[in-house]
Amino acid sequence: MAIRLGDTAPDFTAETTDGKIELHKWLGDSWGVFFSHPKDYTPVCTTELGRVAKLKEEFKKRNVKVIALSVDPLDSHKGWIGDINETQKCSVNYPIIADPDRKIANMYDMIHPNALDNLTVRTVFVIGPDKKVKLTLTYPASTGRNFDEILRVIDSLQLTAKFSVATPVDWKWGDDCVVVPAIKTEDIPAKFPKGFKEVKPYLRMTPQPNL
Ligand code: BEZ
């Protein structure tokens, strides 16, 4: 069954390139990004894994742990990491799950047989510190993901978890935010001392509260 937003991310124990990992225990109080790849030694995946390695500091400053999955075995992953480091000028610094029996891929509904036979498509799960699924993305094998967008969503999720705001179209760090409809307009000044603009009674904008 598909995993939906708000569901608890299914827990599992897996063999990874960093040793055995129990997902929930390993995540601890961190946020998580769990993403799948069709196969080892494939070109698009190689570029994605390199990019994620280079974003280490961006994930760290957001308190995010990253974990990848590919259905090939551990030895294959280890050899492939050498190629990723060489070609992408990086050092893979996060675990890659070996899932040759597709146990975890099936648990997370990462195999879409009508798109790609018996291999995982490109899924992304963002998991909150409460272990709930906050974001799901599914990309075809032929399209590499945009990890700037994944960081942008994490920024939005972390902001909206703390303040009564949502983020509008194309929002990026520093842009104005939307005051959520649950807040009455007369209560906004006390909650948002930086001010607000009422564009319509249902569309109230305020500067990003945590800057
Ligand atoms: C790739 O990662 O390059 C890839 C994997 C499976 C199908 C197409 C592309």
Side-chain angles (χ1 to χ4, degrees), residues 1 3 10-16 20-23 34 36 69-73 97-111 118-120 125:
M1 172 144 146
I3 295 172
D11 200 12
F12 57 76
T13 302
E15 295 297 339
T16 83
K20 195 173 270 206
I21 282 180
E22 294 169 46
L23 181 72
F34 177 29
S36 63
L69 176 146
S70 171
V71 294
D72 288 309
I97 294 170
D99 190 33
D101 59 6
R102 290 146 174 76
K103 189 183 95 192
I104 298 163
N106 285 323
M107 187 186 285
Y108 274 77
D109 199 26
M110 290 168 160
I111 297 178
N118 209 25
L119 298 175
T120 47
F125 295 88

Side-chain angles (χ1 to χ4, degrees), residues 38 42-45 122 141:
T42 46
V44 177
C45 299
R122 295 184 198 285

Side-chain angles (χ1 to χ4, degrees), residues 37-39 41-46 48 80 116 119 122 141-143:
H37 291 276
K39 203 168 170 38
Y41 296 102
T42 46
V44 177
C45 299
T46 300
E48 286 190 322
W80 184 32
L116 197 58
L119 298 175
R122 295 184 198 285
S142 51
T143 304

Side-chain angles (χ1 to χ4, degrees), residues 165-182:
V165 293
T167 58
V169 60
D170 293 340
W171 176 87
K172 55 188 183 326
W173 187 263
D175 288 351
D176 286 354
C177 300
V178 169
V179 179
V180 295

Side-chain angles (χ1 to χ4, degrees), residues 19 24 120 124 144 160:
H24 284 197
T120 47
V124 183
T160 61

